[in-house]
Amino acid sequence: EEARQRIAALSEELERHNLAQRRDGGVVIACGMSEYVPGRDKNVEAVFVRADEAMYKKKDDLKTDP
């Protein structure tokens, strides 16, 4: 549970960073996170695929107006 809280805090920090950077014309960060789901994920590749998809969605979101 502690790891999930740290991930949530990091996500919020990145979101604040991106909002400020977009406002000021600075550099934004697109990242995607995912975690292993027992019984659903057959291998670590599935986790990486979800994280990669989340990153590309964030990239698309960052291209639109805030």
Side-chain angles (χ1 to χ4, degrees):
E1 189 61 36
E2 183 181 328
R4 287 188 180 132
Q5 290 172 343
R6 288 194 316 254
I7 289 169
L10 178 58
S11 294
E12 290 171 14
E13 185 177 339
L14 284 170
E15 192 62 31
R16 284 191 302 273
H17 164 86
N18 284 340
L19 286 173
Q21 292 299 308
R22 290 179 77 188
R23 204 175 30 245
D24 299 337
V27 176
V28 295
I29 300 168
C31 74
M33 295 183 226
S34 185
E35 69 180 271
Y36 177 77
V37 180
R40 176 179 163 189
D41 294 322
K42 296 184 188 289
N43 54 44
V44 72
E45 180 181 4
V47 181
F48 282 114
V49 166
R50 280 197 309 278
D52 202 42
E53 289 170 352
M55 180 198 60
Y56 280 105
K57 181 180 182 332
K58 177 52 81 176
K59 282 180 132 182
D60 287 341
D61 292 347
L62 288 168
K63 291 177 184 176
T64 62
D65 290 331

